[in-house]
Amino acid sequence: LILPLKRFMSKAFLLEVLSVPDQCAKIIDTLIEKRKELGLTQKELADASHLTQSVIARMESKKAVPQLDTLLKVVDALGCDLEIKAVIE
């Protein structure tokens, strides 16, 4: 049985699902700050990380969670490190 998604999801739920999680947003904010600190445009960062400017713009707008490989390319181009820790609760 396939039913329209709109029927079961509230607007608040859709916004929660579509927004970037807080921890990811903090990482993106740090990367934006570092890009600006280095005086790079989104296009220059895209070129240095072998991505397109639109990928950088989407990441910086926080409309979607970037893929790990995208984050790693950006982090490397900015000369930063990204540390990932597994947390078991």
Side-chain angles (χ1 to χ4, degrees), residues 37-84:
E37 182 182 301
L38 294 172
L40 297 174
T41 65
Q42 287 183 347
K43 175 71 173 127
E44 290 168 334
L45 176 57
D47 291 344
S49 55
H50 307 288
L51 298 166
T52 64
Q53 187 273 331
S54 63
V55 168
I56 301 299
R58 276 195 312 271
M59 179 189 71
E60 289 189 359
S61 72
K62 302 176 199 162
K63 291 184 180 175
V65 176
Q67 294 182 11
L68 182 57
D69 66 323
T70 298
L71 280 176
L72 292 173
K73 289 176 182 180
V74 171
V75 164
D76 185 54
L78 292 172
C80 301
D81 293 317
L82 178 64
E83 184 177 317
I84 300 171

